[in-house]
Amino acid sequence: MAETAERSDAPRERMVRDQIEARGVRDARVLAALRRVPRELFLREGLEEFAYQDTPLPIESDQTISQPFVVAYMTESLRLAGGEKVLEIGTGSGYAAAVLAEIAGEVFTVERYANLAASASERLARLGYANVHVLCGDGTLGWPEYAPFDAIVVAAGGPEIPRSLREQLAIGGRLVIPVGATAREQRLVRLTRVAEHRWDEEDLIAVAFVPLVGAEGWREGAERPSREPPRAAPSPLS
Ligand code: SAH
């Protein structure tokens, strides 16, 4: 039995070592979470054999489950100590929500596609993640009923940081989001709410997420923002 378990965990262990630790993710909570969540169970039938490869994979509705390293890096960037209330935008398969749920106290996750929200919710419940709550809706507006959040992570790229999300951060809270002038290429940005009206912004790494589509994101079917981002105008935060 033990031998079987060891054998079936080996690809996941190798993934954590070679793709995640090797690239500098050091947070013990994050590494432990990645070691526990069975990524193969979040994939479409037939793709299980690719579960521990260093790549994003297709899920329903033309969306993707993120590359394991990116999930690890973003989770580490949230600087979770354990027990927090976390908001995720872009549930997708539910994989990143499961990783977050291994560390945080409660995870609230919003997905715009009803089929993805339903299957992720069912899958997370089946795997015993009772601390994950899934909502189908426009995540650019956050989930105001449960705000403020200690951490917010956005798994899709927007043209700017949605105001609703920065407003739903607790003081001291961190928001990690891909932001880019085009819909498919972004910089990962971390915003820390240091006071009621003050947010510090840090540039992290280059990423390539699917577009964040919604009232405070990209317009449906287009590569243009719902509202023009205040590119030339001076930012009220700087
Ligand atoms: N975290 C996911 C990856 C999801 S990919 C995982 O681990 O599998 C990004 C997801 O964001 C897609 O499912 C997409 O439908 C969703 N999305 C895009 N814009 C959104 C919005 N405004 N609100 C909620 N979800 C959104």
Side-chain angles (χ1 to χ4, degrees), residues 87-91 108-110 139-140 142-143 152-156 165 212:
L87 175 67
E88 180 198 34
I89 306 307
T91 315
F108 296 85
T109 178
V110 186
T140 65
W143 195 339
I152 301 178
V153 61
V154 184
L165 297 184
L212 178 70

Side-chain angles (χ1 to χ4, degrees), residues 141-200:
L141 304 175
W143 195 339
E145 290 85 346
Y146 293 100
F149 299 96
D150 303 305
I152 301 178
V153 61
V154 184
E160 59 182 328
I161 300 173
R163 181 158 297 276
S164 298
L165 297 184
R166 58 168 91 206
E167 292 294 345
Q168 288 174 36
L169 268 183
I171 309 287
R174 288 81 56 205
L175 163 63
V176 171
I177 178 172
V179 179
T182 67
R184 300 259 166 192
E185 283 178 332
Q186 308 91 14
R187 298 290 306 175
L188 199 61
V189 170
R190 175 170 53 207
L191 209 65
T192 304
R193 188 171 196 172
V194 292
E196 181 67 31
H197 299 293
R198 224 179 89 221
W199 292 260
D200 278 354

